[in-house]
Amino acid sequence: MSGQGLPLRVATLLTGLLECLGFAGVLFGWASLVFVFKTEHYFEELCDLNVGPLGNATGQAGCKSQDERFSLIFTLASFMNNFMTFPTGYVFDYFKTTVARLIAIVLYTSATLTIAFTSADSAMLLFLAMPMLSVGGILFLITNLQIGNLFGQHRSTIITLYNGAFDSSSAVFLIIKLLYEQGISLRASFSFLSVCSAWHVGRTFLLMPRGHIPYPLPAKYSYGLCSGNGTRQENREVTEAGALELQSKEETLGPEQEQEARSFWSYAFSRRFAWHLVWLSVIQLWHFLFIGTLNSLLTNLASGDTVLVSTYTNAFAITQFFGVLCAPWNGLLMDRLKHKYQKKARRTGSSVSAAVLCSMVPSLALTSLLCLGFAVCASIPVLSLQYVTFILQVISRSFLYGGNAAFLTFAFPSKHFGKLFGLVMALSAMVSLLQFPLFILIKGPLQNNLFYVNLLLALGTLLTLVHPFLVYRDCQRKEGPVVTT
């Protein structure tokens, strides 16, 4: 890394971290925003007023229809957050960074302005605004993840750090809730978020490349403020970097592996990809269902006490902020194990690529176990125990997405990473749609009894442990990351 470019790269890193932390994943602070929406009487006309006094923000069990409407909005928005990763990934690949970021800014600004000017009478606009907010946020994350390429051997740590910042950004809605309780209106808060779009635009043209940041990074690579030769120079460097990466891969692959170069769809229909999809989908469904129903859960456990609901909602949002601190530990774990197994492989003469894949096994297994612990605690109807649930949830979620990206990087050819990443996120989004019928099941036939749904999802979480076991078994066969079918 040249000394001349270091200040620019550090500025890019820090502003990207701030962007992810303040904007990218705010959707997942939904529980805090629902509390405010209920205070503002959003969808209150759906409530059965004969059940009893509902108050402004009680969200009592008698107002099932209101809870269902909020759950449906979150289900659609979280679905779009993942499903649109596939098409937005293609936009990023073909139209590159500047165009992708401008699309993100338009979507995000439109969403925040829409929310700012909604009221109880126009609450249906949330069905439009929240999906736009989530898609704009995921585009911010996608365009920022490439910043890890600027820092070489720390790439995995930075990628997981950015994913952690994405998780922690859910605390923004807590800040909006606290400001609301101090007299700052929703319109003022979301108008401020809209004004911040000027900062996003400035960063797009001054601190980000027009194209992509290549990996490995070419010598004398420049971008943004330091890019004197424009897009042509940048594209030439990207091409050279691609050639270097291809040459590096050819040097590490054996003749048999080179002959087994496969198409994208052969990897997409492989057993390894299928089990990874199960691993991601089940754990993600748990998290989405928990976040989408948290307000209703806390209301039931607190017997409708709005002060307790507000206190625990704040506690949940505060723990989400620490995702940015938890996620890098997963990256550090993977980096340390990768170096350890690579050294061992060189000493024993075994496959280096298989050793790299082995470094993923503890991360995959630990994520599953953390989710299982979180699921068990969430299933126990004790209000004070939910503090433990919140802690396990944020650690598990911060490990989930960084581990997902890292596994796809290590287990499959880099030329298919973008497509496989988009595909696994899109397919897992289809699974996440189950959260709404599960919510209806809990509120309807099960009469707020979570036991059977939680038992089903806990068994599904146990099933995800098959994935790290199969990866470990593949590693023991001393094979490289050639996908077994």
Side-chain angles (χ1 to χ4, degrees):
M1 184 183 300
S2 63
Q4 183 179 2
L6 180 59
L8 177 66
R9 295 180 190 188
V10 171
T12 301
L13 172 67
L14 295 180
T15 56
L17 186 64
L18 179 61
E19 188 169 76
C20 290
L21 190 60
F23 304 92
V26 294
L27 170 70
F28 297 101
W30 179 245
S32 297
L33 202 58
V34 166
F35 190 91
V36 178
F37 285 149
K38 286 186 174 183
T39 305
E40 288 288 311
H41 311 291
Y42 282 48
F43 301 118
E44 196 171 88
E45 69 277 4
L46 301 175
C47 299
D48 183 2
L49 298 180
N50 295 323
V51 174
L54 293 173
N56 286 334
T58 61
Q60 291 180 0
C63 198
K64 182 180 70 171
S65 297
Q66 185 187 33
D67 287 335
E68 288 177 355
R69 186 62 57 87
F70 284 123
S71 178
L72 182 57
I73 292 172
F74 180 77
T75 298
L76 293 175
S78 58
F79 167 77
M80 293 295 288
N81 179 78
N82 282 7
F83 184 78
M84 290 303 291
T85 303
F86 199 26
T88 53
Y90 270 100
V91 169
F92 176 55
D93 284 345
Y94 288 107
F95 296 101
K96 303 183 180 178
T97 302
T98 299
V99 173
R101 286 183 59 80
L102 290 177
I103 293 173
I105 292 167
V106 170
L107 288 172
Y108 205 91
T109 307
S110 300
T112 52
L113 285 174
T114 301
I115 298 171
F117 290 95
T118 56
S119 63
D121 294 332
S122 57
M124 291 296 291
L125 288 175
L126 294 178
F127 280 97
L128 175 65
M130 298 312 297
M132 286 197 301
L133 192 74
S134 67
V135 175
I138 198 66
L139 261 175
F140 281 142
L141 176 64
I142 289 173
T143 56
N144 279 308
L145 286 179
Q146 61 180 326
I147 293 172
N149 296 347
L150 295 173
F151 296 89
Q153 61 181 346
H154 303 294
R155 184 180 178 222
S156 297
T157 302
I158 290 173
I159 288 174
T160 54
L161 178 66
Y162 273 40
N163 276 282
F166 177 86
D167 293 338
S168 295
S169 64
S170 59
V172 169
F173 281 172
L174 167 64
I175 296 173
I176 290 176
K177 174 180 177 291
L178 295 176
L179 290 174
Y180 179 83
E181 292 172 343
Q182 297 301 315
I184 306 298
S185 67
L186 274 180
R187 178 169 297 183
S189 295
F190 278 94
S191 295
F192 174 78
L193 291 179
S194 302
V195 172
C196 288
S197 296
W199 181 75
H200 297 311
V201 172
R203 186 170 178 272
T204 298
F205 290 104
L206 299 178
L207 293 175
M208 293 294 286
R210 295 182 185 179
H212 299 132
I213 300 175
Y215 184 81
L217 204 64
K220 299 181 181 179
Y221 174 72
S222 63
Y223 67 96
L225 288 172
C226 294
S227 182
N229 296 326
T231 307
R232 292 182 181 177
Q233 173 68 15
E234 186 177 282
N235 287 341
R236 185 159 59 249
E237 288 170 340
V238 171
T239 302
E240 292 172 359
L244 288 172
E245 184 177 3
L246 180 60
Q247 180 181 355
S248 174
K249 282 186 173 292
E250 288 175 350
E251 290 173 357
T252 57
L253 293 177
E256 293 182 2
Q257 290 174 322
E258 287 186 40
Q259 292 174 0
E260 291 188 13
R262 299 177 181 179
S263 68
F264 160 71
W265 290 110
S266 67
Y267 291 105
F269 287 106
S270 66
R271 185 191 68 185
R272 182 175 294 171
F273 183 81
W275 275 107
H276 186 66
L277 175 62
V278 171
W279 177 83
L280 175 65
S281 298
V282 172
I283 296 177
Q284 181 176 257
L285 176 61
W286 240 122
H287 285 283
F288 284 1
L289 181 65
F290 180 74
I291 295 172
T293 60
L294 180 61
N295 182 269
S296 178
L297 171 67
L298 292 178
T299 300
N300 290 331
L301 293 179
S303 301
D305 187 329
T306 57
V307 175
L308 275 177
V309 173
S310 179
T311 299
Y312 277 84
T313 300
N314 293 350
F316 172 74
I318 290 171
T319 59
Q320 298 305 293
F321 179 77
F322 291 95
V324 69
L325 302 178
C326 299
W329 289 104
N330 192 25
L332 290 170
L333 172 66
M334 290 185 288
D335 283 341
R336 182 174 292 273
L337 289 175
K338 181 175 68 174
H339 295 148
K340 175 183 175 181
Y341 289 138
Q342 281 178 327
K343 289 181 180 179
K344 181 179 178 181
R346 292 188 184 102
R347 287 198 310 267
T348 59
S350 57
S351 170
V352 174
S353 52
V356 171
L357 191 60
C358 281
S359 67
M360 285 300 307
V361 174
S363 175
L364 295 171
L366 182 58
T367 303
S368 294
L369 292 174
L370 284 168
C371 181
L372 183 62
F374 145 61
V376 170
C377 290
S379 303
I380 300 174
V382 177
L383 186 60
S384 59
L385 185 63
Q386 301 316 303
Y387 287 121
V388 179
T389 303
F390 299 161
I391 294 171
L392 291 175
Q393 188 270 341
V394 71
I395 298 174
S396 171
R397 189 165 184 269
S398 66
F399 274 43
L400 177 64
Y401 293 108
N404 170 52
F407 178 80
L408 293 174
T409 300
F410 295 153
F412 302 97
S414 61
K415 66 178 181 179
H416 296 308
F417 170 77
K419 294 185 288 293
L420 289 171
F421 180 78
L423 181 62
V424 77
M425 295 300 285
L427 292 176
S428 66
M430 302 295 290
V431 177
S432 72
L433 289 175
L434 291 173
Q435 63 183 294
F436 186 67
L438 287 175
F439 180 83
I440 297 298
L441 181 65
I442 292 169
K443 284 291 185 179
L446 296 182
Q447 298 180 345
N448 289 322
N449 185 353
L450 299 171
F451 176 77
Y452 294 105
V453 171
N454 288 345
L455 177 62
L456 177 64
L457 291 176
L459 292 175
T461 305
L462 282 174
L463 182 66
T464 64
L465 288 168
V466 174
H467 180 41
F469 171 76
L470 291 177
V471 174
Y472 176 76
R473 192 178 69 174
D474 288 345
C475 293
Q476 292 303 303
R477 292 174 180 172
K478 306 295 183 182
E479 295 178 356
V482 176
V483 181
T484 55
T485 57

